[in-house]
Amino acid sequence: MFGHPNAATLTYYGLYALQHRGQESAGIVTANGPNSPFKRHVAMGLVSQVFNSSDLEKLVGNRAVGHVRYSTSGSSNLVNAQPFVVNTARGQIAVAHNGNLVNAPLLREELEERGSIFQTTVDSEIILHLLAQPSEPDGVLAALRKIHGAFSLVMMSEREIIGVRDPFGFRPLSIGKLDGAWVLSSETCAFDLIHAEFVRDVEPGEVVIIDENGIRSEWPFQQEQRAFCIFEYVYFARPDSLISNINVARVRTEMGRELARMHPAEADVVIPVPDSGNYAAMGFAEELGIPYSHAFVRNHYIGRTFLQPSQLIRDFNVRVKLNLIKEAVAGKRVVVVDDSIVRGTTARARVVNLREAGAAEVHMRISCPPHKHSCFYGIDFPDPEKLLANQCSLDQIREYLGADSIGYLDVPAMVRATGQPQNQFCLACFTGKYPIPVDPNLDKHIMERRSTRPNLLASHDSSPSLFPRKP
Ligand code: SF4
């Protein structure tokens, strides 16, 4: 947010609206113009746990950047929590990053060889080090041109706030306005919460610079074919958000209708796996004229469970999130609609729940195609060998889940539901066709290269320590 006296509090509310995008850590950095030091508060946990009113009071300034984190690179700990802040020759800079850089290992190695010392294990820190390099005439834009992959960024300097979307436009980023102040947000649902007006999306490849003079754009990147992550529509984004001016709930409902036309079922009731299956199940039920019921009840108040993994605990974890209203399914032919199947363990547990509750038949319907490939652009899927659809045929999946039938949406139907052309999307986790080539073994190769280098410290092993241990 730029130019509002309550920037920190409004950013805090905005983070509440974006909580679904990351639950590991949250943070806000505020600024008050040139030569006034940035204020930062970050901690592990949900937005409601990270900030109290006294934390917010300390975050003075009329501009702010906030972040909620879910780790797709680097581990989940405080040092990796964003926004990051660094002091550079250009003054202080704060960065919040959504996405994954595909050339992160190479850039990191290059920067380390030139003397950069990294504090964290996340690729977002690379952006900071690039920004901190000695100035070129268009320093920030030159730094941005070096990074490749998925990045929607919000950066704050002492004079401006800068929003950046990579040229493929993998992740969303929108512009809003509130009482003359400018707001950037990953999703428009944050604008609704703070009564900001949605202005437009930041376009793929666009850099928007917001300062005292207003807002302007730069286009520093080579133009690329747009590749928006379709999984944002399927699962990740909130249903009340607009993406490319299309409401996410409307797309999910249409996915359910498409699914019903592709894989109809004779059934007595359609039930969703809440919450992300809700709209697709509704579309499915409407299309076939089958009653729709919320048989699974979600417990919204579970935090992390710090118990050791065991069969009992795993079972507890699956059951504590969703409980079943047995009367809604007993003796009935049930269609259960979920947005996706990743490992399959949860989906299998749902089928067991339904059988135990006395469902006469269980028909599983999935509102996207089978997930067979990794994502390198910011969604944390497991390795392909842990993806059920990568390892099993459709019939094996049905058998593993214990369902009477199974049906997935296919790629053309999923895309049709968005009302946009297929060439606008990244579909790599379904098709294996990656818009930006990736080398999944890059990290390993670099580690191997490092291990063959001479150890520069070896010759100093016998030197006395500056901090000798007490005898
Ligand atoms: S690979 Fe899948 S999850 Fe990742 S960006 Fe592409 S569509 Fe989205």
Side-chain angles (χ1 to χ4, degrees), residues 171 229-231 375 377 379 381 426 428-429:
R171 300 279 147 231
C229 169
I230 202 161
F231 201 55
C375 172
Y377 313 128
I379 302 283
F381 294 131
C426 173
C429 51

Side-chain angles (χ1 to χ4, degrees), residues 318-375:
V318 169
R319 282 168 183 264
V320 74
K321 282 183 197 152
L322 293 182
N323 196 21
L324 194 57
I325 304 171
K326 294 191 180 71
E327 299 88 278
V329 297
K332 294 185 179 162
R333 296 168 301 168
V334 178
V335 174
V336 55
V337 180
D338 205 348
D339 59 85
S340 51
I341 297 178
V342 180
R343 287 183 173 84
T345 41
T346 321
R348 187 184 190 185
R350 300 287 164 248
V351 179
V352 170
N353 290 160
L354 287 162
R355 298 269 188 221
E356 283 173 357
E361 292 173 18
V362 179
H363 302 276
M364 197 91 195
R365 296 292 181 269
I366 307 300
S367 62
C368 73
H371 269 108
K372 294 188 175 179
H373 308 276
S374 301
C375 172

Side-chain angles (χ1 to χ4, degrees), residues 169-231:
F170 283 101
R171 300 279 147 231
L173 188 62
S174 301
I175 306 171
K177 219 167 174 200
L178 172 67
D179 304 334
W182 291 98
V183 198
L184 296 170
S185 172
S186 284
E187 286 186 43
T188 62
C189 61
F191 299 151
D192 298 339
L193 192 68
I194 61 171
H195 296 293
E197 168 205 350
F198 168 56
V199 176
R200 66 173 177 89
D201 286 337
V202 177
E203 292 299 321
E206 185 179 8
V207 174
V208 293
I209 300 141
I210 302 167
D211 61 18
E212 297 290 357
N213 301 317
I215 187 166
R216 66 181 198 278
S217 297
E218 297 274 356
W219 301 87
F221 306 105
Q222 185 187 311
Q223 201 179 346
E224 301 285 356
Q225 176 63 50
R226 188 185 146 106
F228 181 71
C229 169
I230 202 161
F231 201 55

Side-chain angles (χ1 to χ4, degrees), residues 252-267:
R252 286 186 191 158
T253 308
E254 196 46 42
M255 285 170 175
R257 288 184 179 280
E258 290 277 0
L259 187 60
R261 291 193 281 269
M262 269 191 81
H263 299 289
E266 290 199 0

